[in-house]
Amino acid sequence: MPAAKDSAAALQAAADSVVSQFREHTSAHRVDTKSAFLNLVRENYPGYHVTETEERKVSLFEFAAAGKAEIYFDTDDDAFHATRLWKSVGEGIEKKVHPGMLDDDYRLVRFQLVWESNTYIGYYVVWKDIFETPQRMFYALYPRSESNIIHGHCIETDDLFVAAGKWTSQLHEEVWIFDDGHWEKSNELWKSVSGSSWEDVILDPEMKKNLIEDVQGFFDNQELYAQFAVPWKRGIILHGVPGNGKTVSIKALMSSLYSRADNIPSLYVKSFDTKCQTEAYSIRQIFVHARRSAPCLLIFEDLDSLVGDDVRSYFLNEVDGLESNDGILMIGSTNHLDKLDPAIAKRPSRFDRKYHFKLPGEAERELYAEYWRRKLLRNDTVEFPEELCGIVAKLTEGFSFAYLKELFVMALLSLVRGFKGEDFEIVDATDAESAGAGAEGEKDGGACEADAQGAGEKECTTCNKPLPAQKSECENEAEEAEEKKEEAKKNKMVMPTVEVPDEYAENLLLKVIKHQIRILHAEMDNTKQDEWMSGKMGMAGGGGGVRV
């Protein structure tokens, strides 16, 4: 412990008294733990000035872990209350083979902190009063003198808290996440985002260009907004069916903003739900923090599920109310634009632009195939000529980017498992369809013919004229079956017929891709037959290619 007026024995006695009194307090009826702990520290350390602060505002542990200060824990059993936790180490294979490490989740710990030649006694305390969220507090003690206490505050401690508070407010390979009613930093999300790049995002080139310029231009043109007296805030909605690039585009935006010279932070809202407060409280905390962090990117993923009827009005007031949101660019994503309230989806100055993420066209599918081809250039076990990209693009009509990714992943896994090409036989989609239709037609036709042979003409009992022919029950059933069949045929996903040059007819990757396309069609289309008829691929005449 630092040299001070008190002797070492007196300091130890004070420390023991703090621990015992805190134990007594936490095991009995209490009203305000924060005030109680502050008072008992002051009573037991009369020669020290005591300053308290919240961990989320001034994290002395993180400050010291970053090498900004030195910290030494008092590991005496009576002064060290912590839960021992196991944590994994590394990623991928390393994570599986590494034994991991142990860490401490502190509840009460005393420590010594050294910063810029000043030595402090510190306490870190965690508690939860009834109906309140857990409190995590630091108490810094510094020896009193005639010159270092001004207006009730210690100069040395305030200097420490300013430095540590500034460091805590900044992101260090982290992303802000809002969940369970509070903000916290996430290094895991940062790792996921930091590897994202616009080069890995396949979109319509014009839309991709506009989206990037819209976001980057917002943060580049603060002075322009001020020049024209326009509020420096903006909102963008990304909408469309799932699996077509909304999430990966958000990741690319976050990564590109983090790599800017001015390092724009990203704030990701996971949920409005909270155990101890209301959703309105969560919305308030979200925007308070966003205003403090501005300029920033504020992300609401699945906006339609976040903003319900009960909090819509409160949300709109925060988005476009009296308080300034200068420097905040909001991005909301949704799979169901029609479920968003018009006050959100159709009101400029709240969400100004909407980008529609449609199913990829043939050009985008070819670009995506080319993306995978480039990834496999150094892999000698996979033959993926450039010409196959266009063929795959034609074969995958109706596929989302998510299904395209699944197609390539499953195809490559099949090759890894040792697929040889002759392990199964693929029949042309049109052959399978016509074969199935022919079998049904023969069955239906035979039944109706037999029924017709047994039917005779009927006459009116009054005028003896022939009555209009009535369809038999079998004929009615046959017509209904035919209507259902035609409807199913309209909805059924059928692999397009594509000419394949002779030199690629036996390409192993293409064979696997075709097989996986049929499997994915069965998932995407519930009218798909459970089993495809097996048979050899038919050769296309004339052109010398293979019809796929």
Side-chain angles (χ1 to χ4, degrees):
M1 290 294 174
K5 298 178 182 178
D6 305 84
S7 65
L11 285 176
Q12 185 60 48
D16 293 342
S17 179
V18 167
V19 172
S20 62
Q21 290 182 59
F22 183 68
R23 279 180 174 173
E24 180 181 355
H25 170 77
T26 54
S27 62
H29 176 73
R30 61 191 189 276
V31 177
D32 183 4
T33 302
K34 183 184 291 186
S35 297
F37 191 83
L38 177 62
N39 289 333
L40 72 88
V41 173
R42 284 174 172 171
E43 290 172 2
N44 286 278
Y45 292 88
Y48 288 76
H49 182 276
V50 184
T51 308
E52 69 176 8
T53 188
E54 297 179 0
E55 181 193 30
R56 64 189 182 93
K57 298 292 186 181
V58 182
S59 180
L60 296 179
F61 290 163
E62 292 183 8
F63 187 64
K68 306 296 183 181
E70 298 176 28
I71 195 166
Y72 306 96
F73 291 101
D74 184 350
T75 54
D76 179 76
D77 286 346
D78 288 336
F80 191 83
H81 295 187
T83 300
R84 205 73 166 138
L85 302 175
W86 178 87
K87 296 174 63 176
S88 61
V89 174
E91 299 292 336
I93 298 298
E94 181 188 3
K95 188 175 183 179
K96 291 184 177 181
V97 300
H98 197 285
M101 61 177 290
L102 294 177
D103 201 0
D104 290 312
D105 182 19
Y106 302 115
R107 295 188 303 280
L108 171 62
V109 62
R110 186 173 64 244
F111 57 90
Q112 175 180 292
L113 186 141
V114 180
W115 177 73
E116 293 193 349
S117 302
N118 294 323
T119 303
Y120 306 80
I121 297 174
Y123 280 90
Y124 176 69
V125 189
V126 179
W127 71 86
K128 184 179 183 302
D129 287 324
I130 190 169
F131 302 128
E132 296 290 339
T133 56
Q135 298 289 309
R136 302 175 183 274
M137 303 294 296
F138 281 107
Y139 295 83
L141 289 68
Y142 195 80
R144 290 178 177 272
S145 70
E146 295 180 357
S147 59
N148 72 345
I149 307 299
I150 300 178
H151 302 304
H153 299 292
C154 176
I155 296 174
E156 289 81 1
T157 304
D158 281 358
D159 289 343
L160 169 64
F161 281 9
V162 167
K166 179 66 175 179
W167 192 91
T168 303
S169 69
Q170 299 169 337
L171 293 172
H172 309 279
E173 297 187 347
E174 297 158 322
V175 173
W176 284 111
I177 292 184
F178 186 87
D179 192 24
D180 193 23
H182 68 278
W183 287 100
E184 61 182 20
K185 298 176 181 178
S186 172
N187 177 255
E188 291 299 318
L189 181 56
W190 179 85
K191 289 178 181 178
S192 172
V193 167
S194 62
S196 301
S197 167
W198 279 113
E199 294 181 359
D200 300 328
V201 180
I202 309 299
L203 290 176
D204 173 77
E206 187 66 20
M207 187 177 88
K208 182 177 179 179
K209 174 176 174 289
N210 290 339
L211 178 57
I212 294 173
E213 290 179 351
D214 213 352
V215 173
Q216 296 288 350
F218 172 80
F219 293 109
D220 288 338
N221 292 298
Q222 179 182 4
E223 294 181 359
L224 191 63
Y225 278 81
Q227 179 181 344
F228 291 99
V230 177
W232 186 37
K233 66 187 184 72
R234 195 157 178 77
I236 295 173
I237 290 179
L238 312 182
H239 68 98
V241 294
N244 283 305
K246 295 188 294 296
T247 298
V248 71
S249 294
I250 290 175
K251 285 186 174 183
L253 285 172
M254 294 168 68
S255 179
S256 63
L257 292 176
Y258 190 89
S259 62
R260 286 169 56 107
D262 50 356
N263 193 355
I264 303 297
S266 296
L267 285 63
Y268 177 82
V269 178
K270 190 173 182 179
S271 171
F272 291 166
D273 294 338
T274 173
K275 296 176 182 177
C276 303
Q277 299 289 347
T278 64
E279 289 189 349
Y281 169 86
S282 293
I283 294 171
R284 178 62 180 167
Q285 296 307 307
I286 288 167
F287 280 91
V288 166
H289 185 72
R291 291 173 187 128
R292 290 173 181 167
S293 303
C296 66
L297 180 69
L298 180 58
I299 302 160
F300 298 95
E301 194 163 16
D302 294 326
L303 185 61
D304 55 297
S305 62
L306 283 175
V307 184
D309 293 340
D310 51 341
V311 295
R312 182 179 62 251
S313 177
Y314 197 93
F315 178 79
L316 293 176
N317 285 335
E318 291 290 345
V319 169
D320 193 28
L322 297 177
E323 295 189 68
S324 171
N325 286 331
D326 273 9
I328 300 177
L329 173 60
M330 296 184 300
I331 285 192
S333 70
T334 176
N335 297 331
H336 309 284
L337 185 64
D338 57 312
K339 291 184 179 180
L340 278 179
D341 190 278
I344 297 175
K346 298 182 179 180
R347 168 73 184 274
S349 81
R350 289 172 178 167
F351 287 91
D352 311 275
R353 291 289 306 276
K354 292 185 282 291
Y355 289 90
H356 187 191
F357 285 69
K358 305 176 183 178
L359 286 172
E362 184 177 324
E364 287 78 43
R365 297 197 301 274
E366 185 170 353
L367 286 173
Y368 191 80
E370 174 61 25
Y371 165 76
W372 276 92
R373 191 187 73 82
R374 291 197 306 269
K375 290 180 68 172
L376 297 170
L377 282 177
R378 297 182 180 180
N379 193 316
D380 297 332
T381 62
V382 179
E383 184 184 352
F384 195 166
E386 186 175 354
E387 290 76 9
L388 286 191
C389 295
I391 296 173
V392 172
K394 290 180 172 63
L395 291 171
T396 52
E397 182 180 352
F399 273 55
S400 67
F401 282 119
Y403 269 106
L404 285 171
K405 179 180 179 180
E406 179 66 9
L407 171 64
F408 279 100
V409 170
M410 293 306 299
L412 293 174
L413 287 176
S414 295
L415 292 176
V416 170
R417 295 186 187 115
F419 169 75
K420 300 299 182 183
E422 62 272 9
D423 294 347
F424 56 74
E425 297 170 335
I426 302 174
V427 65
D428 187 273
T430 54
D431 293 341
E433 186 179 0
S434 60
E440 288 187 27
E442 290 176 5
K443 179 180 178 181
D444 292 344
C448 292
E449 183 180 355
D451 191 64
Q453 290 175 355
E457 291 187 356
K458 295 183 179 180
E459 297 179 349
C460 177
T461 56
T462 304
C463 63
N464 296 324
K465 291 182 179 180
L467 293 173
Q470 294 183 350
K471 295 180 180 178
S472 67
E473 182 178 350
C474 183
E475 288 176 317
N476 288 330
E477 291 178 355
E479 284 190 6
E480 291 178 5
E482 187 64 26
E483 290 176 0
K484 290 180 180 179
K485 178 181 169 184
E486 289 299 320
E487 185 65 25
K489 189 183 296 184
K490 292 178 184 178
N491 297 327
K492 182 178 294 185
M493 297 193 70
V494 178
M495 189 186 300
T497 299
V498 180
E499 295 287 346
V500 178
D502 286 340
E503 59 266 34
Y504 305 124
E506 297 302 318
N507 181 276
L508 186 57
L509 177 61
L510 182 58
K511 288 185 176 183
V512 180
I513 285 176
K514 289 186 292 182
H515 176 64
Q516 294 299 333
I517 287 174
R518 296 185 186 283
I519 293 175
L520 292 176
H521 273 174
E523 292 183 10
M524 298 160 70
D525 176 16
N526 59 12
T527 66
K528 183 74 176 175
Q529 296 178 11
D530 290 337
E531 296 181 1
W532 284 90
M533 298 175 61
S534 63
K536 293 291 184 182
M537 290 186 294
M539 301 295 293
V546 176
R547 296 177 66 85
V548 183

